[in-house]
């Protein structure tokens, strides 16, 4: 009897499962035909063995060896189908930066699972993509210096900055030679249009939830890109509200930096282009202009008892050029950039804030997943400038602390060999 009941139960369960599968199949073939859930795991580890130094300023950074990280990461992304045109999209990306130091950088900071681009949103082939979260602005994602104007999976594409994701990169940070307006916005919303005849536009807005000092430092950017075959050109604008130059820091010897400053703003505008010749030569060229507001309070002196506030704007241009020549599985790559005089500087000479940098080297792709490379980069900072190395900056003061900085006038250089493993 027990065996009979067991068999009947098993047969009933099998029949129910078959009916359920048939029902699901009918549903899938009907209104939920496009309800697909796709998930991808991706990332890379990028290690560099380097000799670095930074000399010329008040506190030199002596020559030393190190192992450094080249912006390593681990990510998960996917989409959820809704209709023929609409789907939900999501991404969760973690920085593996400084894996060589146990995940803590030279400022004592550590990263989290969602420290890089992490968002949720919707995507439509007709209307474009809208996402919210912690994500690159369109000034970086659409016309950024890495990859084909956006970010890339670690030295896989010759972008404007051929040394993106290494110590030799020239761009992408506030203390870089070029593309100083690139940033990842927290508490942000982003829109990218579909590509129409090679043309695409985008917009980003980052909300200032904290509003410290009762000022709203919300940040926004717009960008556009046009691609025709092997040629691409892009332009964009980025604006940081209530943000200006920290003039006191320059006087105190901390170098050029920005801060919360009520009533002024900092903005960037750039135009970049990229062309791949039939000879497998890639050429990149870019121009960027930064405008930095400032608010300066006059200090009473023996001859003048009155105080006052001066509001103004400093202006600084930058250019860069890059070349990459593919020879079989190898690529020889070089780039150079210049940061010009700071017009309207309130301390020191305008030319004291200039800098230039060049990088040269080669990479060999053993396959699509593993590539060794070698490079040399040199930065020359003038007396008040502190442009730093790309993904692994050096700090001559307060190392290991949040307020670590490179002394103005120190000129970093790095020679290294690296290995990047993509997955």
């Amino acid at each position: 009897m027990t065996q009979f009941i067991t068999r009947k139960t098993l047969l009933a369960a099998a029949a129910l499962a078959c009916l359920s599968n048939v029902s699901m199949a009918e549903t899938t073939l009907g209104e939920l035909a496009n309800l697909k859930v796709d998930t991808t795991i991706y990332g890379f580890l990028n290690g560099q063995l380097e000799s670095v130094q930074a000399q010329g300023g008040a506190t030199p950074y002596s020559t030393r060896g190190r192992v450094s990280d080249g912006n390593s990461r681990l990510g998960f992304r996917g989409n959820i189908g809704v209709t023929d045109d609409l789907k939900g999209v999501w991404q969760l990306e973690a920085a593996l930066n400084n894996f060589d130091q146990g995940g803590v950088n030279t400022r004592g900071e550590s990263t989290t699972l969602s420290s890089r681009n992490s968002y949720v949103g919707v995507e439509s082939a007709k209307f474009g993509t809208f996402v919210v979260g912690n994500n690159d602005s369109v000034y970086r994602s659409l016309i950024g210096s890495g990859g084909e104007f956006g970010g890339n999976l670690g030295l896989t594409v010759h972008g404007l900055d051929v040394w993106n994701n290494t110590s030799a990169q020239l761009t992408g940070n506030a203390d870089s030679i070029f593309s100083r307006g690139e940033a990842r916005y927290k508490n942000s919303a982003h829109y990218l249009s579909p590509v129409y005849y090679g043309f695409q536009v985008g917009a980003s807005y980052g909300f200032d939830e904290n509003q410290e000092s009762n000022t709203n430092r919300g940040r926004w950017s717009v960008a556009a890109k046009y691609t025709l075959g092997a040629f691409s050109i892009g332009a964009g604008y980025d604006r940081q509200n209530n943000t200006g130059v920290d003039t006191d820091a320059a006087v105190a010897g901390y170098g050029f930096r920005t801060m919360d400053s009520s009533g002024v703003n900092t903005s960037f505008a750039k135009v970049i282009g990229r062309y791949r010749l039939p000879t497998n030569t890639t050429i990149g060229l870019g121009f960027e202009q930064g405008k930095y507001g400032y608010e300066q309070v006059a200090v009473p002196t023996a001859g003048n008892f009155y105080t006052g506030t001066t509001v103004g704007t400093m202006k600084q241009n930058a250019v860069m050029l890059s070349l990459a020549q593919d020879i079989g599985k190898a690529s020889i790559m070089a780039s150079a950039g210049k940061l010009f005089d700071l017009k309207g500087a309130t301390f020191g000479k305008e030319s004291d804030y200039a800098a230039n940098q060049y990088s040269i080297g080669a990479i060999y792709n053993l396959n699509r997943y593993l590539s060794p490379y070698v490079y040399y980069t040199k930065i020359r900072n003038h007396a008040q400038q502190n442009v730093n190395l790309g993904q692994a900056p050096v700090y001559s003061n307060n190392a290991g602390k949040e307020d670590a900085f490179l002394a103005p006038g120190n000129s970093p250089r790095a020679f290294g060999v690296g290995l990047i493993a993509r997955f």
Side-chain angles (χ1 to χ4, degrees), residues 1 51 72 90 95 111 115 121 130-131 137 140 153 163 166 186 221 233 237 277 284 295 300 318 354 357 390 399 401:
M1 177 65 71
S51 170
S72 302
W90 61 271
T111 53
S115 54
F130 178 78
V131 301
S137 73
R140 171 180 279 180
L153 197 58
W163 288 108
T166 71
K186 298 179 180 179
S221 62
I233 188 170
Y237 179 81
L277 299 168
E295 181 183 23
Q357 180 181 2
K401 299 179 181 179

Side-chain angles (χ1 to χ4, degrees), residues 43-50 52 66-74 94-106 109 111 115-116 154-155 163-169 173 373 375 389-394 417-421 423:
F44 63 82
L45 280 172
N46 187 13
Q48 301 165 158
L49 181 62
E50 296 181 307
V52 296
R66 67 175 184 176
V67 174
S68 59
D69 168 70
N71 210 17
S72 302
R73 68 198 64 171
L74 169 66
L96 300 179
N97 290 26
N98 309 110
F99 72 89
D100 52 297
Q101 298 183 151
V104 179
N105 66 17
T106 47
E109 302 166 332
T111 53
S115 54
R116 290 186 56 83
L155 296 170
W163 288 108
N164 186 44
N165 294 320
T166 71
S167 293
Q169 75 178 51
N173 299 310
Y373 56 92
Y375 60 88
L389 298 175
Q391 289 300 329
V394 295
V417 292
L419 180 66
I420 182 168
F423 54 87

Side-chain angles (χ1 to χ4, degrees), residues 78 87-91 117-123 128-138 141 185 187-192 203-205 207:
K87 60 183 177 182
V89 291
W90 61 271
Q91 179 171 296
N117 293 334
S118 300
Y119 58 77
V120 63
V122 292
E123 180 180 305
T129 304
F130 178 78
V131 301
V132 296
N134 177 36
N135 197 44
D136 289 344
S137 73
V138 293
S141 65
Y185 291 1
N187 298 317
S188 59
H190 309 262
Y191 171 75
L192 281 175
S204 300
Y205 187 84
F207 297 89

Side-chain angles (χ1 to χ4, degrees), residues 19-52:
L19 289 173
S20 298
N21 289 336
V22 170
S23 176
M24 181 62 72
E26 290 177 352
T27 304
T28 302
L29 293 174
E31 62 182 7
L32 298 181
N34 294 290
L35 201 158
K36 293 176 59 180
V37 178
D38 293 325
T39 302
T40 301
I41 301 175
Y42 65 92
F44 63 82
L45 280 172
N46 187 13
Q48 301 165 158
L49 181 62
E50 296 181 307
S51 170
V52 296

Side-chain angles (χ1 to χ4, degrees), residues 7 23 45 52 79 84 95-96 109 111 118 136 142-143 159-160 173 176 216 246-247 274 279 282 305 367 374 377 418:
R7 288 174 183 171
S23 176
L45 280 172
V52 296
N79 60 76
D84 287 336
L96 300 179
E109 302 166 332
T111 53
S118 300
D136 289 344
L142 187 60
I143 59 162
L160 174 63
N173 299 310
S176 296
N216 182 354
D246 188 343
T247 55
R274 172 182 174 272
T279 56
T282 302
F305 297 98
N367 52 46
V374 59
T377 186

